[in-house]
Structure formats: structure tokens, C-alpha cells
Amino acid sequence: MHFHPVSRFKKSTLAALIVSISCAVASPALLAQNLASDIGGTTDQARLVSAAAQRDFAEFVQFNVQRRGGTLPSEFPLEVNDVQDLKDAKIGYGFPVYSLPPQDVMTGRGDLRSMAKATGEWRFVITLNDTPIGLATLRQNNGRWGVTSYGGAVLAKDVDAAIAVHGNSTRSNLRFIRVYQAMSDFLEVVSPTDARARFAPLQAARQNLLLQQRSEKLGTQSANNGLLEQSDILEPLRISVKRNIDSFR
């Protein structure tokens, strides 16, 4: 469940799924700069987005601590035991979100790596004692970056673990890809040995595309350290994208 920040604090109808990397040794702004240069953002843009994430989160914390006291709504978007825990929470790494055009997926034009396009959206992990408790989604509106929603603690932990396993020392071999029409998320991992892109299916993809069962049947995950080939996921993606598009017509 997601909430808009401060005075616009309300339920969101679209789940925001965000990739996160926790790190305790550098400032959030520096972390954002480093990751942005690694996976497709720009340093200047990373500074702006990181500053906006920290600004809006500070307002979010102030609003909730002052207005809610010790109460915690049942559908609170961050994984905390008490609203007062927010005082110790921090904005961590951020990175741009990529997606796949649905028509390209259905027609199979090119490979998934070349299909992926930047969405203009950034996501940042929120940590408490170095543990992910949720995620902040940011977009630019009229030239100003701002948080549009909070949430996704389970996914943040899932991606955090995948990055620890598959990322190189600079994380330059990783991209987060969200296939909106299939309600699925992947971590794209480029191999240092053969330069091929393989994919770590995240929670939504594992559930919605039944990729866990498929990979176990084919034995592909164990062969590639939990990663799937494009051929393992393209057909399930096509089916899911077509089904979901048809259901809205």
C-alpha cells in the first residue's frame, strides 16, 4: 500500500515497486551519484533527485510524527513498528526505472536488453538501522522532482538480496526493469564473462508469470546462479502482456 506525502497523504491505487541497495558508509547523495553513473542516470540528475527524496521524506516524517503520535495505521506504507521509528529512518540509494514497450514484447522486436527504455521515474530505498523498510518513488512535474508514493518493503528486501548476489563491484552490470502490463519486475544482470544479459525475476514476476515453477522444471536457474535467459521469460511475458491489455479493452 502506498501513500502520497504530507498534505496529500492518501492511499494510492497503483503499487510502486522499487529497487534498493543499502549502504552505511556514504551519504545518500553520494550513493545516488555513484549508482546513477553506473546504471544510466546522470550525476547532475542524481543530485537533484536525491535532494528531492530527502526533502520530501523529511516532510513525510514530520507530518506523521506530529499528527499520528504513537499510532500506526494498519496500512502504513513503511515497515515500522511505531511512527516514532521514522525519526531514525534514512533515504539511501536511488536509481532510474526502465520498462519494456508492450508492443515490442508482443512482437518480439529485438532482445529484452535493447527493448528497455528509461521511464523518467526514480526510486530510492528507505532504511532503518540499515534494513530496507520501504521505497520512495519520484517523478518530475513541471521541472520539479518530488515523491509520488511510498511503499514496497517486501520488494525492496527482495531486490536488495538479488543485488548483493549478482552485482559487480560498481553495480554497473545491473538495471531494474518494470513491465507494467505484465505487473512484473526483473533485475537485468549482464555477465562479465560473455556480456550476455540474464534476468533475476523479482517477487511480482515470480508470482504473476509462474517463473519459479518454470525455471525449476527446466533447470535453468541452478545453471545460471538463479538467473533466467531471455528465452525463459519472453513467452510468459508475451502471454501476460496480451492478456492484461485485452482485459482493459
Side-chain angles (χ1 to χ4, degrees), residues 85-121:
D85 291 340
L86 293 174
K87 295 178 180 179
D88 297 318
K90 300 177 182 178
I91 291 287
Y93 263 100
F95 47 88
V97 176
Y98 291 81
S99 189
L100 304 176
Q103 291 302 321
D104 289 353
V105 173
M106 289 191 293
T107 59
R109 289 195 287 259
D111 59 21
L112 296 182
R113 186 178 181 184
S114 63
M115 289 181 197
K117 309 297 181 185
T119 64
E121 184 174 276

Side-chain angles (χ1 to χ4, degrees), residues 14-76:
L14 178 65
L17 300 173
I18 309 168
V19 177
S20 61
I21 311 170
S22 37
C23 182
V25 297
S27 70
L30 180 58
L31 297 180
Q33 292 172 27
N34 290 341
L35 190 54
S37 63
D38 289 342
I39 62 173
T42 66
T43 299
D44 289 343
Q45 185 182 57
R47 289 195 188 101
L48 290 174
V49 186
S50 177
Q54 294 179 73
R55 177 200 67 218
D56 286 1
F57 184 61
E59 295 177 357
F60 176 85
V61 171
Q62 182 180 28
F63 172 84
N64 282 281
V65 169
Q66 290 180 351
R67 297 291 185 88
R68 299 186 182 279
T71 63
L72 187 69
S74 59
E75 296 181 335
F76 196 72

Side-chain angles (χ1 to χ4, degrees), residues 113 189-198 224 229:
R113 186 178 181 184
V189 183
V190 178
S191 169
T193 56
D194 59 14
R196 292 179 60 183
R198 296 179 176 86
N224 292 316
E229 301 285 350

